[in-house]
Amino acid sequence: MRSTSRTVRVAVFAVTALTLPTLIAGCTATKSGSSASGSGSSGPVKIGLITKTDSNPYFISMRDAAQAEADKMGADLTAAAGTADGDNDSQVTAVQNMIASGVKAILITPNDSKAIVPTLLAAQQQGIFVAALDTQTDGNKGVDATWATDNTEAGRQQGAYVKAALGSTTPVLAMLDLQPGVSVGDQRHAGFLTGMGLTDNSPEIAGRQDTGGDQGRGQTAMENLLQAHPNINSVYTINEPAAIGAATALKNAGKTASVVVGSIDGGCAGVKAVQDGQIAATVMQFPSKMAVAGVDAAVAAVKDGTKPTVPPTGFIDTGVQLITDKPLAGMNSQNTAWGLDNCWGNKP
């Protein structure tokens, strides 16, 4: 998650294979009576994938998994990305370009959960199947389905671990958030506080800063908070880049051993940071599962009008797993050896 200038960068992948589409195993579905989405069409299904950025390994792994599944399913995949986490304008442009190119399905990881909705609704009105991956839209509007991490639960597990690691010590907490307007950040933040047994008004919160999920901004935020509150003993981080930035600031201040840092993501670099002692624990999520499910559902929707049945939560949960080499009683965790076998991104 990296802040850059607001330009559009689009990578195109045309992928074809010979296999017929099948629904992802275990996913319930309903058949739509409308043929507007291209049901019954022949030839390769044209799918657009729009990720938040094309630089974050998380979204690169999602894109690669989507491309591989499109190849398997005999679909054509066009991939695009926003310029930075939070940049809605470039994603709006990408959706409009994909509609103009004739895609029948769009998979998107929204940069702005609310601002993107009108654009997605416009796509649906043209008969395009739309699904969100990783991040829910505001009120689940503008999408036929969402595959995502239960980010509230991921945050809760991070908070529960940090609380347990502190034991009887009163938290002096720094919160390194994402930014306003993104449901992922709001959900993880709220879940963490639940796991800690705190609220936004709790005096145990020493301070908070937005990081955009960026490592450099995470380091700067931690430096600023340490300067104002040198007795900080625990840190919430929105993701592993922000956590590694915080860990760098703590190391430079000579405070690594006295501060518990928690995180979320499950990238290989983040799991290695847990193994190296920079982060106490992280909560792994599974972007490849989201991508595979989204491609399979898109093919089914376009081919015969079958759409997935979405639970009352508004999304289909792809699961989380706590990773730490310092397991604590009552918490279901895996060690970093398991984490490195199952992480996304480049293996260390």
Side-chain angles (χ1 to χ4, degrees), residues 23 33 42 46 59 105 125 158 183 191 197 203 210 217 225-226 234 242 263 270 275-276 281 283-284 314 316:
L23 283 175
S42 60
K46 296 181 69 175
F59 298 113
Q125 288 168 0
Q158 183 190 163
S183 60
D210 292 339
R217 289 178 64 185
L225 290 169
L226 278 174
S234 49
S263 199
Q275 188 178 62
D276 293 344
V283 182
M284 179 177 286
I316 300 165

Side-chain angles (χ1 to χ4, degrees), residues 127-212:
I128 295 172
F129 173 83
V130 182
L133 307 180
D134 176 71
T135 303
Q136 291 175 274
T137 59
D138 183 52
N140 297 301
K141 298 173 186 174
V143 298
D144 296 288
T146 299
W147 282 269
T149 302
D150 184 341
N151 283 293
T152 302
E153 173 59 17
R156 188 200 66 77
Q157 289 194 24
Q158 183 190 163
Y161 184 89
V162 170
K163 179 180 180 179
L166 287 172
S168 61
T169 303
T170 300
V172 182
L173 176 64
M175 300 197 71
L176 273 57
D177 284 307
L178 185 59
Q179 61 202 39
V182 182
S183 60
V184 168
D186 295 341
Q187 290 163 0
R188 291 182 182 184
H189 174 105
F192 178 86
L193 290 178
T194 297
M196 288 287 291
L198 303 175
T199 71
D200 277 314
N201 296 320
S202 294
E204 290 88 347
I205 301 175
R208 61 188 63 153
Q209 286 196 13
D210 292 339
T211 67

Side-chain angles (χ1 to χ4, degrees), residues 1 4-5 63 70 90 111-112 132 143 153 155 159 161 187 213 218 267 279 303 308 321:
M1 300 180 181
T4 58
S5 61
R63 184 192 66 199
S90 59
N111 266 331
D112 189 312
V143 298
E153 173 59 17
Y161 184 89
Q187 290 163 0
I279 306 172
K303 286 290 187 179
Q321 177 61 59

Side-chain angles (χ1 to χ4, degrees), residues 69 79 90 109 143 247 252-253 259 344:
E69 188 67 7
S90 59
T109 62
V143 298
N252 292 342
V259 181
W344 46 263

Side-chain angles (χ1 to χ4, degrees), residues 46-329:
K46 296 181 69 175
I47 303 171
L49 171 69
I50 305 168
T51 53
K52 293 187 179 184
T53 73
D54 60 6
S55 58
N56 188 318
Y58 180 87
F59 298 113
I60 293 171
S61 70
M62 180 181 286
R63 184 192 66 199
D64 291 346
Q67 182 180 345
E69 188 67 7
D71 186 17
K72 174 184 171 184
M73 299 294 283
D76 286 341
L77 183 72
T78 300
T83 60
D85 201 316
D87 178 11
N88 180 66
D89 292 347
S90 59
Q91 288 197 321
V92 169
T93 300
V95 171
Q96 293 169 342
N97 288 341
M98 287 181 176
I99 293 172
S101 73
V103 300
K104 297 299 182 182
I106 292 174
L107 310 176
I108 185 168
T109 62
N111 266 331
D112 189 312
S113 302
K114 186 174 183 179
I116 195 65
V117 168
T119 302
L120 300 183
L121 287 171
Q124 286 184 312
Q125 288 168 0
Q126 296 189 48
I128 295 172
F129 173 83
V130 182
L133 307 180
D134 176 71
T135 303
Q136 291 175 274
T137 59
D138 183 52
N140 297 301
K141 298 173 186 174
V143 298
D144 296 288
T146 299
W147 282 269
T149 302
D150 184 341
N151 283 293
T152 302
E153 173 59 17
R156 188 200 66 77
Q157 289 194 24
Q158 183 190 163
Y161 184 89
V162 170
K163 179 180 180 179
L166 287 172
S168 61
T169 303
T170 300
V172 182
L173 176 64
M175 300 197 71
L176 273 57
D177 284 307
L178 185 59
Q179 61 202 39
V182 182
S183 60
V184 168
D186 295 341
Q187 290 163 0
R188 291 182 182 184
H189 174 105
F192 178 86
L193 290 178
T194 297
M196 288 287 291
L198 303 175
T199 71
D200 277 314
N201 296 320
S202 294
E204 290 88 347
I205 301 175
R208 61 188 63 153
Q209 286 196 13
D210 292 339
T211 67
D214 177 77
Q215 182 171 332
R217 289 178 64 185
Q219 180 175 342
T220 299
M222 191 74 251
E223 289 168 347
N224 292 340
L225 290 169
L226 278 174
Q227 186 173 16
H229 308 278
N231 59 335
I232 284 170
N233 61 15
S234 49
V235 183
Y236 158 79
T237 62
I238 179 61
N239 67 359
E240 290 162 354
I244 292 171
T248 301
L250 290 167
K251 180 180 179 181
N252 292 342
K255 293 181 177 291
T256 300
S258 60
V259 181
V260 180
V261 179
S263 199
I264 300 171
D265 262 351
C268 295
V271 175
K272 188 65 167 59
V274 174
Q275 188 178 62
D276 293 344
Q278 294 177 282
I279 306 172
T282 193
V283 182
M284 179 177 286
Q285 53 184 338
F286 302 96
S288 294
K289 289 184 180 180
M290 303 172 198
V292 169
V295 169
D296 288 355
V299 171
V302 174
K303 286 290 187 179
D304 63 12
T306 302
K307 292 186 179 180
T309 301
V310 181
T313 56
F315 71 98
I316 300 165
D317 183 9
T318 49
V320 294
Q321 177 61 59
L322 180 69
I323 306 294
T324 184
D325 284 334
K326 298 177 180 178
L328 297 172

